[in-house]
Amino acid sequence: MSVRFWEPGKEFLRIEEEVMTTMRGVLTAGDLIMRQQMLDFEHNLASFVGTSDAVGVSNCTDGMRLLLEAVGIGPGDEVITVSHTFMATMAVIHQVGATPVLVDVGDDYNMDTDKLEAAVTSRTKAIMPVHLNGRLVRMDRVIEVAKAHNLLVLEDTAQALGGSYMGVNGGGWGLAGAFSFYPAKLLGAYGDAGAVVTSDAGLAERLRELRDHGRVSKTGFSGWGWNCRLDNLQAAILDLKLKKVPEWITQRRRLAAIYDEELADVGAVKRPPGPDGGPFFDIYQNYVIEADRRDALAAHLASRGIETLVSPGPVPNHKQPVGLDHFHLPRTEALCASVLSLPLNNELGEDQVLEVAGAIKDFYA
Ligand SMILES: *Cc1c(COP(=O)(O)O)cnc(C)c1O
């Protein structure tokens, strides 16, 4: 492959010295489970997002599940979200015994907030907006609907670290937000990792108990809990990499602008919203186009050594065998047949973006 979709090995080699120094420090001190490095990362992540607390967890999926449990959502409750996301968003709602209620997405691939209010019933307890691809949902509208119906807002902000809308970061709008540090995310661990951010100190404390067996002291427990801790070694590495996130975001936005410019005249390609989107500050976790003859284009790019990704799709999440196929979501279903994520990662160069754009133009010429 001449242009890889993501390059975790290349990124490691560029920061190898710092990473190895950090790892050596953690390993020689024997600081393996919930030590100072994890507390430091939690503190720095909360400051970065603009919340009072961050709670490190094993991954974003566990974080969202603990969050639903912590706020008391369970059997009989409905939670509104989208199908156009990663499966985990819907799965956690199901796992706590509640029912996912799905709304369609709009032009920016995110929850169509005009369709939100119609999905509210007397059983609705929360809205889980998903900031897909690094762009925030119109959160002022979400908050408005939530206030009118007394609902909680819990953000799936797995793809939007550093992304903001009207000056407020993803994770800072609702009661809480869950981040993923899965390796392919903008801030990636060397394995699985996640965190939940909130400015509700009581909720943060409850999450800290739940992630560690319900433990409140060395020997005391507040009830049943889980083991969903963030590894201290991963936390130390994430803390180091967090400092590089602003630089990575700048680079991604620059590359997205080049894709935009290069693909502007290709009629068969619909580009994502641009980097200068008014109140939106998009961090481009993914650069996703809608493409005519998507599968043929992907095959053409592969033949040129360019890796792409279809996600979500080609089968929409609610059409997978998970008991949600009664939802009719025309925009989501159409998107799953046309979306294609182009290479965009922390190591990608301008010349590679030009190569990808050139290969797309050749295909449609
Ligand atoms: C990556 C992702 C998740 C899952 O995160 P994990 O850390 O792998 O559990 C959930 N939601 C969205 C939108 C994601 O992109």
Side-chain angles (χ1 to χ4, degrees), residues 59-62 64 85-86 88-89 130 132 156 158-159 179-182 185 192-194:
N59 56 67
C60 177
T61 308
D62 282 347
M64 292 192 291
T85 173
F86 181 59
T89 320
V130 183
L132 206 67
D156 177 343
Q159 298 195 5
F179 284 102
S180 171
F181 308 118
Y182 178 78
K185 299 286 164 39
D192 280 307

Side-chain angles (χ1 to χ4, degrees), residues 127-146:
I127 305 170
M128 279 186 83
V130 183
H131 309 306
L132 206 67
N133 302 327
R135 180 187 176 85
L136 261 62
V137 175
R138 291 182 185 278
M139 288 304 292
D140 52 338
R141 280 289 298 140
V142 174
I143 300 289
E144 217 174 279
V145 173

Side-chain angles (χ1 to χ4, degrees), residues 4-51:
R4 304 290 306 272
F5 191 75
W6 61 300
E7 302 245 37
K10 198 168 163 190
E11 184 191 284
F12 168 70
L13 287 174
R14 192 161 51 80
I15 59 174
E16 178 176 3
E17 233 178 271
E18 294 166 272
V19 172
M20 294 315 283
T21 303
T22 298
M23 286 177 59
R24 168 163 275 276
V26 171
L27 295 177
T28 52
D31 286 339
L32 302 179
I33 302 285
M34 296 216 293
R35 305 302 283 268
Q36 190 59 44
Q37 293 86 346
M38 190 194 76
L39 301 179
D40 289 346
F41 174 59
E42 289 180 336
H43 174 81
N44 292 331
L45 178 66
S47 325
F48 184 87
V49 176
T51 54

Side-chain angles (χ1 to χ4, degrees), residues 79-158:
V79 178
I80 301 173
T81 189
V82 290
S83 166
H84 200 67
T85 173
F86 181 59
M87 188 61 106
T89 320
M90 283 163 283
V92 292
I93 298 168
H94 170 81
Q95 303 299 4
V96 299
T99 304
V101 172
L102 308 175
V103 296
D104 213 346
V105 293
D107 268 344
D108 60 0
Y109 312 142
N110 274 334
M111 177 180 272
D112 183 346
T113 51
D114 291 338
K115 297 206 163 73
L116 195 49
E117 194 138 35
V120 176
T121 74
S122 58
R123 293 165 172 254
T124 310
K125 287 285 156 56
I127 305 170
M128 279 186 83
V130 183
H131 309 306
L132 206 67
N133 302 327
R135 180 187 176 85
L136 261 62
V137 175
R138 291 182 185 278
M139 288 304 292
D140 52 338
R141 280 289 298 140
V142 174
I143 300 289
E144 217 174 279
V145 173
K147 278 202 172 128
H149 298 274
N150 198 23
L151 308 174
L152 301 174
V153 176
L154 311 171
E155 301 170 63
D156 177 343
T157 193

Side-chain angles (χ1 to χ4, degrees), residues 5 294-295 298 308-315 335-341:
F5 191 75
R294 187 261 320 269
D295 295 341
T308 56
L309 181 76
V310 172
S311 173
V315 179
L335 273 180
C336 286
S338 66
V339 287
L340 189 67
S341 305

